Amino acid sequence: MTEKIIVIDEGTTSTRTMLFGADGTPLGSAQREIQQHYTGPGLVEHDAAEIWEATLACTREMIAQAGGAEHIAAIGITNQRETVVFWDRTTGEPLARAIVWQDRRSAADCAALKEAGHEPMAQAKSGLLLDPYFSGTKIGWALKQWPQLKEAGDRLAVGTVESYLVYRLTGGVHVTDASNASRTLLMDINDQGGWDEELCDLLGVPMSLLPEITGCTTRVGTTDPGLFGGSIPICGMAGDQQAATIGQACLSPGQTKATFGTGAFILSASGTVRPVSNNRLLATVLVQEGDVRSYALEGSVFVAGSLIKWLRDGLGLLASAGESEGLARSVADNGGVYLVPALTGLGAPHWRPDALAALSGLSFATTKAHVARAALEAQAYQAHDLKSAFAADGVDWAEVRIDGGMAANDWMAQDLADMLNIVVERPDFVESTALGAAMLAATGAGLYPDLASAAKAMRGTATRFTPALDAGKRKTRLAGWQSALAKVLG
């Protein structure tokens, strides 16, 4: 097969477009950074116009490399989930800043809804908890607080990032895929459920504002021919964590992936049976092919790679993110230093939006190497907390497949294997999110008969890390983490 696939990978800190061969071979990449707007404590916003312009520039670059639009079989889109965009249906222009998934501005609203006893109903229908992380809480807040949205009336359209991009790319198709829709707190994820009236009313979101929910391999439209010199089908969409799970070929029940990007997100495939958690994990749609939904059990950690970025940009302790690995190796241990990275609260399994980060165990012997090591160790500790929660819900990981920017750090990958005491597998091509979107697009374009076939053909080779830490040292380190975490949790 000579067809090529374009993937638009719209992340939290950058927009990237990648070019793939139909066999999964990466052929090129173009990337632009996206500015983060921290407008107050717990507030994080993006300029959706900037996202659109970056998407156009990167996609045009990759289409030119492919030789033109006629050489592209399909476009796949994967995106930062839960981030909400508000735009004008007539012009496609944003009407306000996008509210980013990390944003906590709806925390008080969520607390009030919990206090009123609404969380069991919300979890039963949506698979999620009443937390400001999820899109619907942000939409409800914005509709009450931002006058320009009220003034827009029927011109207002709302959606997550992939929905906004499809609208702009096609010139007016307003859709979202089931995986992204399942992260809004507005969708009944059971069987063939869609936008749910009771959930929408609870969060104050009119259903008329929302896009149509489609499958993840559905051909939703074609690009405006004026954008790229020809029309290209858009045939694959999924939220970034679902796309990464697909890219790791974790489609069978029990197969588990962990993405260490801006945050850390661990998903275990559940097949066509929706999982139910008693340990504050999330049930989510992994993928929908046609009318068939497959599910996953998920644990979400809010701060992973963004912690290293903060050490670099906020504190000036690192010259580059890659320096963290060398610093971690330069000291024999963490020197008693623990870093609980609750910079935007704590996610699963704690769900404490009010939690604040803490660095403990400091002395005059502490160096920046100890702090860098503590930051990397925190990733394994948070993953261990999730492993315990998954096991309590009946999903005991045999191994875990990792990806994302932080996964390239060999020290961290080995530390993860040591602390989890299981094999950690890392694909040689770590951009599993983009690869998963390419698999969806290739399936939607008919290059493969189904997603399982695409995943089998397109996933490459991997490196394995096996546990090598003494059980006593593991126990001591975990005890230190639990003590530091307890202080943060109060």
Side-chain angles (χ1 to χ4, degrees), residues 388-405:
S388 299
F390 272 78
D393 275 338
V395 182
D396 200 4
W397 307 339
E399 68 172 30
V400 64
R401 298 176 179 180
I402 65 171
D403 54 52

Side-chain angles (χ1 to χ4, degrees), residues 26-150:
L27 302 175
S29 177
Q31 187 166 343
R32 303 284 192 280
E33 287 197 4
I34 298 296
Q35 184 177 354
Q36 316 297 299
H37 299 275
Y38 299 105
T39 55
L43 306 182
V44 192
E45 298 173 354
H46 282 161
D47 181 348
E50 180 189 10
I51 291 173
W52 171 239
E53 292 301 325
T55 298
L56 272 184
C58 292
T59 304
R60 284 170 173 160
E61 191 174 327
M62 285 299 96
I63 289 173
Q65 181 174 321
E70 65 272 20
H71 295 285
I72 308 299
I75 289 177
I77 301 175
T78 184
N79 56 286
Q80 48 167 308
R81 304 176 306 173
E82 295 94 19
T83 295
V84 180
V85 185
F86 309 88
W87 69 93
D88 189 309
R89 293 180 186 272
T90 306
T91 66
E93 293 295 326
L95 292 169
R97 287 259 184 88
I99 303 178
V100 179
W101 60 271
Q102 298 160 308
D103 190 281
R104 315 304 287 170
R105 73 187 65 201
S106 56
D109 294 339
C110 293
L113 291 172
K114 283 185 186 180
E115 183 67 23
H118 294 295
E119 189 164 73
M121 179 277 291
Q123 185 174 19
K125 288 190 173 186
S126 71
L128 310 177
L129 302 172
L130 287 173
D131 189 87
Y133 175 31
F134 303 110
S135 312
T137 71
K138 305 175 195 300
I139 299 170
W141 181 94
L143 291 176
K144 288 186 294 185
Q145 300 295 330
W146 284 344
Q148 70 270 36
L149 301 185
K150 299 176 184 177

Side-chain angles (χ1 to χ4, degrees), residues 81-82 118-131 134-137 178-191 193-196 198-200 202-203 242 274-277 281-286 293 295-298:
R81 304 176 306 173
E82 295 94 19
H118 294 295
E119 189 164 73
M121 179 277 291
Q123 185 174 19
K125 288 190 173 186
S126 71
L128 310 177
L129 302 172
L130 287 173
D131 189 87
F134 303 110
S135 312
T137 71
S179 75
N180 274 295
S182 73
R183 308 298 299 183
T184 61
L185 254 175
L186 301 172
M187 175 188 175
D188 181 351
I189 67 170
N190 299 289
D191 300 322
W195 300 126
D196 183 79
E198 187 175 13
L199 290 171
C200 288
L202 180 69
L203 298 183
Q242 287 95 329
R274 180 210 150 155
V276 175
S277 175
L281 300 175
L282 307 175
T284 195
V285 174
L286 173 57
R293 282 183 187 163
Y295 298 91
L297 191 65
E298 176 173 341

Side-chain angles (χ1 to χ4, degrees), residues 42 48 60 62 81 89 92 98 116 123 126 169 227 230-232 238 250 262 307 346 401 436 443 453 484:
R60 284 170 173 160
M62 285 299 96
R81 304 176 306 173
R89 293 180 186 272
Q123 185 174 19
S126 71
L169 288 166
L227 294 176
S231 295
I232 305 172
C250 292
T262 301
L307 179 63
L346 286 172
R401 298 176 179 180
T443 304
S453 300

